Each structure stands twice: as structure tokens, then as C-alpha cells.
Amino acid sequence: MYLQRRNRILRKTPAIRAMVAETILTPNDFIAPLFIDEGKGQQYEIPSMPGYFRRSIDGTVKEVKELWDLGIKSVLLFIKCRDELKDNTGKEAWNPDGLMQTSIRAIKDAVPQIVVMTDVALDPYSSYGHDGIVENGEIVNDPTVEALVKMSVSHADAGADFVAPSDMMDGRIGAIRQALEENGFTGTGIMAYSAKYASCFYGPFRDALDSAPGFGDKKTYQMDYANRLEAVKEAQMDVEEGADIVMVKPALPYLDIIREVKNVVEVPVSAYNISGEYAMIKAAAKMGWINEEKAVLETLTSIKRAGADLIATYFAKDAAKLLTS
Ligand code: PBG
């Protein structure tokens, strides 16, 4: 056989493959989500997320130091709210001395350079477990946006570098940007969960924060997984309204959406490799059906290859270790 082109030449040795690799994963790509609880010295493993913990602030700060030392540049904070503090207004969400605000200050004190991002949505604070305020069985948009604005300003005031609205209400990015400006937080950014789908893969996360919806589902605000163009519309509108980074979530079942969004926006795109995606790899690895380390690196590389500039992932620490060892 005389072949004009032999593609296998570029796959011949590890050195050649490294030279021509199109996608290179680094710890700079990762955003590490952290679950925070009250108390001191508390650490609770999430049953549906083996190896992942909800920790009190002291343990969280220690974890953040380790993440920073591994080269991870950003953390995304979630808190578990005590039941007595939950109501339909979500007002604990903008308590200046709330768990979130206290955590932001503690982390910024301990590791000032790390980029602190905060989840903005009412579900952990809502007695209904919904991302917004409920009236007559409906999640009402505009009053919810007012609440999200207060929540965002209070996170910025506590020192958050980026607020990350994950609620999917209409118009919230513009309203939050305007409020940040009016309150002098001109250096605070917005990472918008722009294309967030109503997904069954959020289950383990809702176990972690005890935030499952008390009635119905989230389909009147989170997106229908049948849709692609709607994601493009959401991302474009969020950019127009002032989003600095747009996100697609979940990641693995939506790699096509990540690429689609990446092709049309001129801001960085992030993707959230969510709790259910973590749980699936952990479960299969535990059964001995896949190799966890290889599955993690292949998965994260595929998300980056699809177009994600940043990846929020519960595997951030493990992957950073694998990449730097
Ligand atoms: C809250 C929120 C959710 C996640 C991030 N922010 C859950 C939901 O919308 O029900 C899910 C993250 C994950 O599953 O890892 N609005």
C-alpha cells in the first residue's frame, strides 16, 4: 500500500500526541463547588456524593487553602440553611451575618487571591424548595428578581468576586448588574447560569443541601432538555444584560449546547459538571466497571473540548492532583 497521508503518524508516541493535543486541561479551568454548613469542626459526607462533604466554615477554609495550593483559582459557594430560617421570601439570603456572607468573609480573609463565586437562587432558603417566591402555586418572576438583587448585593458587600445566579428568572442579570453599579460594586462580576436545564441529574445536590422542591418541579423556569435554540437566546440575552461569564448546565448530556453557545458569545463559557454526573462516575467506579481517574480526565477534557473555558466540577481537587502529579 502506498498512502499519501498516514494519520497514525501523529498518534505514534506519547511525545507526538502531547505535541498535537488540541485540548489541554489545567487546574486553571476548574471552579470547585463547596457546600457549607453551620457549626465548628463539622464534616458530613453526602451519601449520594461519596467523597464529597458539607463542612462548617473552619473546615471549608482549610479546604480552600488546599485547593489554592493545587492551583485551583476559584470556588463556588453553596450553603445549607437551617429549617427555622426558611420562609417564602427567602430573606435569610441577604442577612449580612448569614452563613453565606460569613463564609465569604472567612474565605477572603484566609486566601484573598482566590476567586469567590456565590450561588444566587432562593432554593436553599425557600420553605417550598423553589428558586423563587411562590404565590398561588406559581413561582413569580418579578418579586423573585427583587429578592435576587438584594441577595447579590449582600454577597458583593461580603466580598464575593462573582455572583452566580442559578434561578433562571427573566431579567435578573440586568437587574443585578444595575444594582451592583448603584451600590458601588463596580468590580463584582456576574457568572450567569444562562442555559440551565430542568434536569434529573441535580438529585444528589438537593440531598446535599436539603433543597428539593416541596411541590411540583422546576420546569416553569429551568429549560426543557428538548431545546437548543432557546439556550442560544438565553445566553445572548444574559450577555446583553451584563453577564461576564455564561454557563451551560448540566455539562455531559449538553455538550452540544456548550459548543453552540461558545460559537455565538464573546464572553467566557463555563459548564457545570453537576452532582449526578459526579455520582454516576463514582458509582460505576465503585462497582469496578470503569477506572475513575481515567473517566474523570476524559470527562473533563470532553467538556473543555466542547467549548467550555471553565468547568465547575466536584472532581476539581482530584483532577488538579492528577494533572500536577
Ligand atoms: C440551585 C442550584 C442547583 C444546582 C446548582 N444551583 C439545583 C437546582 O436547580 O435544583 C445543581 C448543582 C448540581 O446538581 O451539582 N438553584
Side-chain angles (χ1 to χ4, degrees):
M1 246 174 133
Y2 294 95
L3 291 185
Q4 220 43 55
R5 301 188 59 92
R6 288 191 177 268
N7 293 343
R8 290 182 55 193
I9 290 168
L10 292 182
R11 299 179 206 135
K12 199 162 74 182
T13 67
I16 297 176
R17 291 196 293 273
M19 286 167 72
V20 301
E22 295 176 43
T23 308
I24 296 165
L25 208 55
T26 88
N28 291 336
D29 304 327
F30 304 145
I31 299 169
L34 297 174
F35 300 136
I36 308 173
D37 208 339
E38 291 180 358
K40 241 192 140 192
Q42 301 293 322
Q43 167 160 307
Y44 172 83
E45 188 170 12
I46 320 297
S48 49
M49 299 179 71
Y52 222 76
F53 295 85
R54 200 172 65 228
R55 297 188 171 93
S56 48
I57 293 181
D58 51 334
T60 302
V61 165
K62 193 169 158 265
E63 179 71 9
V64 173
K65 286 184 188 154
E66 288 177 25
L67 293 169
W68 179 258
D69 289 341
L70 283 166
I72 290 166
K73 303 292 184 290
S74 176
V75 290
L76 175 58
L77 309 186
F78 299 90
I79 64 97
K80 179 172 185 298
C81 184
R82 238 188 303 147
D83 274 346
E84 310 90 88
L85 299 175
K86 296 185 184 187
D87 64 19
N88 187 29
T89 67
K91 64 177 182 314
E92 177 62 15
W94 53 92
N95 174 359
D97 297 313
L99 183 56
M100 176 62 95
Q101 291 77 0
T102 311
S103 304
I104 298 167
R105 285 191 292 265
I107 292 170
K108 286 306 263 188
D109 269 356
V111 192
Q113 308 98 305
I114 202 153
V115 178
V116 170
M117 299 183 161
T118 57
D119 190 68
V120 170
L122 296 186
D123 52 334
Y125 303 94
S126 157
S127 39
Y128 292 107
H130 272 289
D131 289 22
I133 293 167
V134 178
E135 282 173 19
N136 302 321
E138 282 185 22
I139 290 74
V140 288
N141 196 85
D142 301 8
T144 299
V145 171
E146 281 175 38
L148 298 171
V149 162
K150 286 186 233 168
M151 188 176 181
S152 299
V153 170
S154 93
H155 292 182
D157 192 40
D161 298 291
F162 285 81
V163 292
S166 67
D167 53 284
M168 290 302 281
M169 297 300 126
D170 289 330
R172 90 279 207 217
I173 301 302
I176 291 170
R177 184 71 258 159
Q178 189 183 334
L180 291 173
E181 295 294 310
E182 284 167 2
N183 287 278
F185 298 116
T186 51
T188 309
I190 303 176
M191 177 169 76
Y193 288 65
S194 297
K196 177 171 177 180
Y197 287 85
S199 169
C200 75
F201 295 103
Y202 302 145
F205 172 95
R206 293 174 187 170
D207 291 344
L209 297 187
D210 181 25
S211 63
F215 70 89
D217 53 36
K218 298 193 174 185
K219 289 182 181 169
T220 67
Y221 44 107
Q222 298 179 349
M223 286 174 46
D224 183 345
Y225 55 70
N227 295 350
R228 176 173 66 88
L229 297 176
E230 193 182 0
V232 171
K233 175 179 74 179
E234 287 282 0
Q236 284 175 324
M237 284 178 68
D238 283 353
V239 172
E240 281 164 26
E241 289 179 32
D244 300 282
I245 301 170
V246 293
M247 183 191 275
V248 174
K249 176 185 176 181
L252 266 193
Y254 299 88
L255 293 178
D256 57 330
I257 307 297
I258 296 172
R259 169 51 53 192
E260 196 90 42
V261 168
K262 178 67 184 167
N263 285 347
V264 297
V265 298
E266 276 151 23
V267 299
V269 174
S270 62
Y272 200 141
N273 175 224
I274 61 159
S275 58
E277 299 172 44
Y278 175 87
M280 287 193 294
I281 289 184
K282 282 287 181 183
K286 190 173 165 200
M287 295 298 287
W289 292 342
I290 57 169
N291 174 304
E292 177 172 333
E293 293 182 353
K294 289 180 179 170
V296 167
L297 293 180
E298 185 172 338
T299 297
L300 296 176
T301 303
S302 77
I303 296 169
K304 185 166 183 183
R305 189 194 65 227
D309 301 288
L310 295 165
I311 307 170
T313 174
Y314 303 99
F315 289 118
K317 192 179 192 181
D318 293 349
K321 283 185 191 161
L322 291 171
L323 293 172
T324 49
S325 63

